[in-house]
């Protein structure tokens, strides 16, 4: 695989030609080995291929694939196997869409645009993908029977503002107001979430409104590295298909860019994956009933351990600031 490919020049045909044969059910032992080999382009490509396969073709395999990848990255042994699941074929048009998202806008991505770009790939998957994604979401043990749950009510800033100063609600209120965040990240109606099948409708709605709550309770900061980390946590927790797509995109983009930062990226994903697997299921917690309590109280009540990654949460921001500091003589 050409690991020095210029992302802005790679079209769908060249991406498909170089990469499509790797997007298939992986061999567990080979994937485990490849996941721990950060410098070899062929091994990075094998890992990216497995993530693209589980995200865009075989969503029910995500847990087994990420278990293997995380174990390989962190040099952990285990009796691991890729789940034998149904898959949906990818149409040729998918590769054109994926190439466009990989290239990105001329000025680069911000948090909002990358979310919209990756989410748009869902329109290019195979015709048989939707029922597979619904079945995977409905059956994930951490999803807490989402197909039977009613759509959650909107979060009110007013409700949050009248809770005690040290409560989860007031901490969330400060986070939202100080950063200009929307209580639900993105508008659920404009996204068409009501048109989704029952399990996906509930889960996607719930994680939009709980994303910042999970940041606080699970110990993830609102930095670039920790947004990647919390995506891995969400995928581990309830099989969040968008998070799987986002991580596949991030890993493939790092690989195609020559592997810059690849080891840091994979270690963060692996650590957050294990964090999600080892903590209790957040989807089963009605956080609105605990608005009045402090984050420490909630963690103790549910046995939640905050994320402790190997790298500073703001590492990307520090690295981005270095050229500016150097040019100013700081």
């Amino acid at each position: 695989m050409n690991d020095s490919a210029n992302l802005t020049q790679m079209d769908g045909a060249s991406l498909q030609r170089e990469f499509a044969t790797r997007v298939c059910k992986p061999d567990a032992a080979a994937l485990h080995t490849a996941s721990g080999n950060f410098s070899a382009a062929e091994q990075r490509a094998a890992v990216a291929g497995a993530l693209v396969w589980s995200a865009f073709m075989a969503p029910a395999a995500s847990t087994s694939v990420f278990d293997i990848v995380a174990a390989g990255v962190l040099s952990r042994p285990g009796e691991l196997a890729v789940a034998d699941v149904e898959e949906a074929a990818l149409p040729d048009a998918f590769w054109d869409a994926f190439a466009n998202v990989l290239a990105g806008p001329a000025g680069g991505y911000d948090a909002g645009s990358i979310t919209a770009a990756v989410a748009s790939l869902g329109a290019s998957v195979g015709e048989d993908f939707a029922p597979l994604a619904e079945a995977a979401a409905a059956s994930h043990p951490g999803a807490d029977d989402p197909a039977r749950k009613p759509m959650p009510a909107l979060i009110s800033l007013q409700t949050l503002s009248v809770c005690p100063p040290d409560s989860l609600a007031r901490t969330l209120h400060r986070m939202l107001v100080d950063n200009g965040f929307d209580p639900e990240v993105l508008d659920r109606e404009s996204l068409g979430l009501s048109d989704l099948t029952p399990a996906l409708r509930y889960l996607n709605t719930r994680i939009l409104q709980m994303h910042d709550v999970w940041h606080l309770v699970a110990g993830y900061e609102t930095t670039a590295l920790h947004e990647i980390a919390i995506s891995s946590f969400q995928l581990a927790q309830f099989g969040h298909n968008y998070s799987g797509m986002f991580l596949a995109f991030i890993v493939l983009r790092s690989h195609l860019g020559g592997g810059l930062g690849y080891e840091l990226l994979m270690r963060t994903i692996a650590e957050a994956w294990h964090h999600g697997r080892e903590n209790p299921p957040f989807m089963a917690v009605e956080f609105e009933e605990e608005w009045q309590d402090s984050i420490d109280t909630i963690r103790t009540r549910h046995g939640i351990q905050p994320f402790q990654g190997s790298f500073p949460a703001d590492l990307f921001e520090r690295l981005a600031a270095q050229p500016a500091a150097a040019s100013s003589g700081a």
Side-chain angles (χ1 to χ4, degrees), residues 16 39 72 76 79 95 97 103 113 128 131 137 139 151 162-163 174 221 252 254 272 277-279 298 301 322-323:
Q16 183 176 15
S39 60
R76 297 186 181 184
E79 296 294 327
W95 297 104
S113 61
D128 298 331
S139 63
M151 290 286 274
V162 297
C163 291
R174 287 192 296 271
E221 297 185 30
L252 180 57
S254 174
R277 295 280 274 161
E278 292 165 358
N279 267 282
I298 293 169
R301 178 181 298 135
Q322 284 183 357

Side-chain angles (χ1 to χ4, degrees), residues 129-172:
F129 182 82
L132 298 184
E134 172 69 10
S139 63
H140 194 286
D144 195 42
D145 202 10
R148 296 180 180 273
K149 290 187 173 183
M151 290 286 274
L154 294 168
I155 291 176
S156 165
L157 283 175
Q158 174 61 25
T159 299
L160 300 179
S161 70
V162 297
C163 291
D166 66 342
S167 64
L168 169 62
R170 282 287 288 279
T171 306
L172 176 62

Side-chain angles (χ1 to χ4, degrees), residues 175 179 181 211-212 215-216 219-227 230 313-314 317:
M175 177 186 185
N179 292 284
F181 292 166
H211 180 77
D212 290 324
H215 264 286
L216 294 171
Y220 292 90
E221 297 185 30
T222 55
T223 61
L225 185 62
H226 272 206
E227 289 296 349
I230 201 172
D314 62 347
E317 286 79 6

